Amino acid sequence: MIDVGMDMEQYDCPFIDTTDDYEVAFTAVHWQFDGVSKQLETRLAVDGENREELEQGLTALRNHENMRECSLFSKREDNAVIRTVIDQTNAMKVIRENGGYITGPFRIEDGSELWEVGFDDDRVADDTLADLERNNEFTVESRESFESEELFDLLDNAEPALSMLNGCRDLSAVERETLLTAVREGYYEDPRAVTLQNLADEFGVSDTAISKNLRRGERKVVRSVARALTELES
């Protein structure tokens, strides 16, 4: 199996258009493609930069010409969970017709979409990527080959992996960016390359605020690791 990670820009995707205009991000938690109607049903978590951006983003998404159905499950502060139905996009059509398949949840923000797509062999992967280039812009971020043993190991440990994934999904946009920046800048190195004040200055907030964002993010990640370890042991 070949697993390809892509940063995709689809010209006919309502989610990409919305994140291009508003500070919102979408993360798929469930998706199902109807081969008869050629429509994709999804349930997504929505993160807004703030409540106003969330409201404006959801309104723009509902009104998009390529959106068929959009309903709200829940909403709290700058987060929401929605159900949507959209027509098959060009990229989806190309991948399906070439025998490709989605292997992981997709995330959409800042006008592009992160996809994990699987193929049975290198030839199929190469042919599909060549076809995609005709009507889409994308960057291949990763490409890995998995042997049978690795696939069985992944399947055997799907629950711990899902616990880790859910922990990452639970992070707000601010918590995620704060943690990524802290790691990138060397906050967790020994000795530390930057201080809380350095991080606070980079985000333009107080050191108290940056500390709270880090602690909230760390709690969520550590709890997901603890759940995963418990599941591995059982």
Side-chain angles (χ1 to χ4, degrees), residues 29 73-74 97-98 103 120-121 130 136 141 151 201 209 234:
V29 294
F73 280 146
S74 64
E97 289 183 347
N98 280 275
T103 59
D120 290 336
D121 57 55
N136 302 275
E141 301 289 345
L151 287 174
D201 292 342
S234 61

Side-chain angles (χ1 to χ4, degrees), residues 45-68:
V46 190
D47 296 322
E49 180 69 19
N50 51 55
R51 188 165 187 170
E52 182 180 0
E53 287 290 318
L54 176 67
E55 295 287 355
Q56 292 178 342
L58 290 176
T59 298
L61 187 67
R62 292 190 192 98
N63 295 334
H64 195 282
E65 61 181 359
N66 291 339
M67 180 59 63
R68 297 295 166 257

Side-chain angles (χ1 to χ4, degrees), residues 169-202:
R169 285 175 179 162
D170 287 342
L171 294 170
S172 69
V174 171
E175 292 164 354
R176 182 170 53 254
E177 186 59 29
T178 302
L179 282 173
L180 287 173
T181 301
V183 172
R184 185 173 60 249
E185 298 296 328
Y187 178 75
Y188 293 106
E189 299 296 327
D190 186 18
R192 285 176 172 166
V194 294
T195 65
L196 274 177
Q197 188 59 59
N198 296 143
L199 293 175
D201 292 342
E202 184 164 343

Side-chain angles (χ1 to χ4, degrees), residues 13-25:
C13 176
F15 305 113
I16 288 179
D17 283 349
T18 301
T19 63
D20 210 16
D21 296 330
Y22 300 96
E23 294 297 323
V24 294

